Amino acid sequence: KSFLNHTAYLSCFFANSQAADIKDLRVFWQKGTDEVVHEVYYGQEKHDNLSPKYINRTKMDMDKWTLQLFNAGIVDEGQYTCIIQHRVKGSPQVIHKSKCSLHIIANYSQPEIALLHSGEQMAAHWPKKYLNLSCSSSGGYPEPKQMSWLISHENTTHRVTGHTDVSQDAETKLYNVTSKLNIPVPTNILTNISCLLQLGDQLGSLVSVPLGI
């Protein structure tokens, strides 16, 4: 995993790497099946075969056998393959091959609750006030798992899932998420309403500043 616009580190460590002389090795990184990301040709960086979008964006740390990919973007997500060939009597033989997948993370903004308007709905012939709330968070990646609402009063909290819209910017590929909630106005009891954005696998969650009613 790498944060958007930061350096991604792709490992290609293999056993007995200390025993190998870099001048006898060809180290070759590719993305998918046809994009050449980086090449070290018997001790020398080689740029002839690189895919244009990786030119001047990579650096190989030969001590740690790690490829640094600078300014990692969402388009860089995917599977990378590292192939190491060893020159034996003139003919190269593959001595190591490994794959790794790159996932990009962009931080969502802290969710913010806004009061849309309080409407009146007739229920059982008497007017009852309703709260129309929205909660929004923007500029994140990958797509969030869920946005929900936490309604707390006294010692109890319950979770409510409202109507949620998720949109993706066509250019940046970043996501914006908005949830709307319509609930009766609490009466005679202090109620705190928070909005919770769940980001998914190992990414945790974000919570809004609570709204006190």
Side-chain angles (χ1 to χ4, degrees), residues 13 17-18 61-66:
F13 187 80
S17 58
Q18 278 73 28
D61 183 337
M62 302 306 292
D63 293 325
K64 297 178 181 173
W65 295 91
T66 299

Side-chain angles (χ1 to χ4, degrees), residues 21-203:
D21 186 340
I22 189 65
K23 292 184 176 62
D24 292 326
L25 300 179
R26 180 182 178 222
V27 184
F28 184 82
W29 281 89
Q30 67 181 39
K31 183 187 179 199
T33 56
D34 55 0
E35 288 186 297
V36 179
V37 178
H38 192 86
E39 186 177 4
V40 180
Y41 192 78
Y42 303 125
Q44 299 295 317
E45 302 269 341
K46 190 176 179 183
H47 305 286
D48 309 6
N49 304 319
L50 296 189
S51 174
K53 69 182 182 188
Y54 293 108
I55 291 173
N56 297 326
R57 288 188 58 216
T58 58
K59 181 183 177 184
M60 186 79 184
D61 183 337
M62 302 306 292
D63 293 325
K64 297 178 181 173
W65 295 91
T66 299
L67 182 72
Q68 299 175 32
L69 174 61
F70 305 121
N71 197 28
I74 291 169
V75 293
D76 295 317
E77 279 199 321
Q79 189 172 74
Y80 291 77
T81 305
C82 169
I83 301 163
I84 300 176
Q85 295 176 331
H86 185 241
R87 182 164 51 185
V88 182
K89 296 178 182 174
S91 59
Q93 294 180 353
V94 174
I95 59 170
H96 179 74
K97 187 175 182 179
S98 61
K99 295 179 185 293
C100 61
S101 293
L102 176 61
H103 300 277
I104 299 298
I105 302 164
N107 286 327
Y108 282 85
S109 63
Q110 184 182 17
E112 276 190 45
I113 296 177
L115 189 63
L116 297 177
H117 59 269
S118 57
E120 278 195 1
Q121 297 179 2
M122 294 301 290
H125 308 295
W126 56 280
K128 192 175 185 180
K129 297 278 190 180
Y130 275 76
L131 276 178
N132 284 322
L133 303 175
S134 78
C135 181
S136 300
S137 175
S138 61
Y141 192 88
E143 185 174 359
K145 294 297 181 195
Q146 190 180 48
M147 185 176 256
S148 53
W149 297 80
L150 302 175
I151 302 173
S152 306
H153 40 76
E154 293 181 338
N155 296 324
T156 62
T157 299
H158 62 276
R159 182 179 296 192
V160 177
T161 304
H163 175 74
T164 302
D165 284 313
V166 177
S167 61
Q168 187 177 27
D169 187 284
E171 288 187 17
T172 66
K173 304 299 181 190
L174 299 177
Y175 287 97
N176 300 319
V177 56
T178 299
S179 179
K180 292 183 178 173
L181 182 69
N182 184 282
I183 58 167
V185 174
T187 53
N188 306 326
I189 190 166
L190 176 63
T191 299
N192 278 319
I193 301 173
S194 301
C195 170
L196 179 70
L197 179 64
Q198 291 163 284
L199 301 174
D201 303 337
Q202 299 166 7
L203 296 176

